[in-house]
Amino acid sequence: MELLTISEVTKSYQISTRTLRYYEQIGLLQSLKKDGYAYRTYDECSLKRLEQILILRKLRIPLKEIQRVLENEESTAALHVFQGKIQELSNEILALSTIKTVLNQFVIHLSENEEVKINSKYLSEESVLQIIEALPAAKNNLKEDAAMNNSNTAVNYLSQLKDVRIVYLPPTSVASIHDVGGTPEYDTGNELRKFMIQTNLKEIKPDLRHFGFNHPNGVKPDGTDHGYERWVAIPDNMEVHEPFVKKNFPGGLFAAHMIPMGNFEEWGLLADWVKNSSEYEPDWGDPDCMYGSMEEHLNYINQYHLSNEEMDKCVQLDLLLPIKPKVNE
């Protein structure tokens, strides 16, 4: 089989270069460096593994569990992971089914008694409380109707984001670090960590925020390595030194969606949410810098001292897509 470049893989499998690179960084996938080539390539074995990863991600298996399944040849590892996921889904489906029952009771009662007013007394009736008390202690974040029997419909329904927030980021001065190479996310992360320690930034800017984005966006036209840029908010009167550059972030309005580190495929879901919004539309910026989109590293002020590997295990990110209100014509 002919080797595929990173850009060819991302187009064929409809995933971002950010997702693909992250799979490599955590050891879930491997690429090859062919003699005479200046960029990553993927052979048949790598592509088969990527297909397995994407299937398991559609089944909502976490990346850590996917690694466990694919790196253990014995079926018992996969069996344990799948059984655990089934139990988790069963609990959540039961919880949602019970909630649906309670809401149906409310609808029936209100339909039969149109003059009734909703108040604390009504919501405290013993029969209602007994039903709610019976709810299992499970995460109520499954976006699936238990009555669905068509797998494609279920996947599409699960892929619709329900938790998008509209946030305004105020203008601020930032220290910027940028690198192009094989591992720019890690390299810039290490430099930013040293900057935080050397400047004691945690103490002089306790409301600091940390953003990152591809720069250039994806791989360069010739297929060579990519770039990544990080920003950290600094006091307006603070000066920085190489390799950092002081910049002014103008702020703006963004659609925000939180993910655990690694779920970069959800960038596509966020873009779809904005595309289908009746109130907002994209307000794209520089195409070389993810069109103005960014990843905010949440709680970075309490995690910057961790190694990249340790941070990847606990980091949550806000995906931020620039938007503006739609103008009604």
Side-chain angles (χ1 to χ4, degrees), residues 213-217 229 285-294:
F213 50 90
N214 292 342
H215 183 195
N217 187 29
E229 183 169 344
D286 186 353
D288 203 36
C289 297
M290 288 177 56
Y291 295 88
S293 299
M294 301 185 297

Side-chain angles (χ1 to χ4, degrees), residues 4-277:
L4 298 184
T5 66
I6 185 172
S7 57
E8 290 171 334
V9 172
T10 56
K11 291 177 182 177
S12 297
Y13 290 88
Q14 295 299 301
I15 62 173
S16 68
T17 56
R18 183 79 166 93
T19 301
L20 196 59
R21 296 196 306 265
Y22 184 74
Y23 289 168
E24 290 192 53
Q25 289 168 2
I26 63 174
L28 195 55
L29 187 68
Q30 288 187 339
S31 60
L32 305 172
K33 282 281 191 177
K34 186 178 178 182
D35 291 342
Y37 280 59
Y39 47 87
R40 297 177 178 85
T41 58
Y42 299 83
D43 61 11
E44 184 175 5
C45 181
S46 296
L47 296 177
K48 288 292 184 183
R49 187 177 179 92
L50 177 59
E51 291 170 0
Q52 294 173 328
I53 294 169
L54 296 178
I55 289 172
L56 292 173
R57 288 297 293 135
K58 287 185 177 181
L59 295 175
R60 296 305 187 263
I61 306 297
L63 290 175
K64 292 179 183 177
E65 299 299 317
I66 291 177
Q67 201 155 20
R68 180 181 171 191
V69 169
L70 297 183
E71 292 182 356
N72 196 318
E73 295 182 356
E74 296 183 4
S75 60
T76 52
L79 183 63
H80 185 269
V81 169
F82 297 157
Q83 287 176 332
K85 192 63 178 180
I86 289 172
Q87 183 61 53
E88 178 185 330
L89 295 177
S90 297
N91 290 341
E92 293 177 346
I93 289 172
L94 176 59
L96 290 179
S97 178
T98 307
I99 291 171
K100 181 180 178 182
T101 299
V102 173
L103 292 174
N104 277 332
Q105 289 187 354
F106 287 164
V107 169
I108 292 172
H109 182 79
L110 294 173
S111 297
E112 294 175 348
N113 303 274
E114 294 184 359
E115 300 302 321
V116 72
K117 294 182 179 180
I118 290 293
N119 54 44
S120 58
K121 182 178 178 180
Y122 175 74
L123 295 176
S124 300
E125 288 183 4
E126 189 66 26
S127 59
V128 174
L129 291 177
Q130 288 178 353
I131 294 174
I132 294 176
E133 284 293 326
L135 286 173
K139 301 175 183 177
N140 292 326
N141 62 355
L142 179 67
K143 304 177 182 69
E144 178 177 6
D145 186 333
M148 286 183 178
N149 55 18
N150 182 290
S151 60
N152 289 329
T153 301
V155 168
N156 291 336
Y157 186 77
L158 284 164
S159 297
Q160 297 173 8
L161 297 184
K162 309 294 183 182
D163 59 352
V164 176
R165 303 162 357 254
I166 306 302
V167 300
Y168 173 74
L169 300 183
T172 185
S173 298
V174 299
S176 167
I177 176 74
H178 176 229
D179 184 55
V180 176
T183 56
E185 293 91 351
Y186 276 24
D187 295 340
T188 55
N190 289 332
E191 289 294 330
L192 182 55
R193 185 178 302 112
K194 290 189 290 185
F195 177 82
M196 290 281 296
I197 296 171
Q198 293 170 356
T199 61
N200 197 26
L201 190 61
K202 178 179 180 180
E203 301 300 326
I204 63 176
K205 184 66 174 174
D207 61 340
L208 68 83
R209 303 179 74 163
H210 170 215
F211 306 97
F213 50 90
N214 292 342
H215 183 195
N217 187 29
V219 293
K220 292 190 287 186
D222 61 358
T224 53
D225 284 324
H226 62 285
Y228 197 74
E229 183 169 344
R230 292 179 186 267
W231 291 349
V232 64
I234 59 174
D236 291 337
N237 61 354
M238 182 177 178
E239 298 300 325
V240 301
H241 305 284
E242 292 185 353
F244 287 85
V245 176
K246 185 175 181 179
K247 296 184 177 181
N248 292 315
F249 169 51
L253 198 64
F254 292 82
H257 167 59
M258 188 179 70
I259 63 167
M261 175 64 85
N263 288 19
F264 297 112
E265 68 271 15
E266 296 187 33
W267 265 120
L269 303 181
L270 181 59
D272 288 340
W273 185 94
V274 173
K275 178 182 178 181
N276 295 320
S277 173

Side-chain angles (χ1 to χ4, degrees), residues 166 253 277-283 322-328:
I166 306 302
L253 198 64
S277 173
S278 60
E279 300 180 54
Y280 301 98
E281 61 185 359
D283 187 17
I323 58 174
K324 59 185 178 182
K326 280 186 175 179
V327 178
N328 296 323

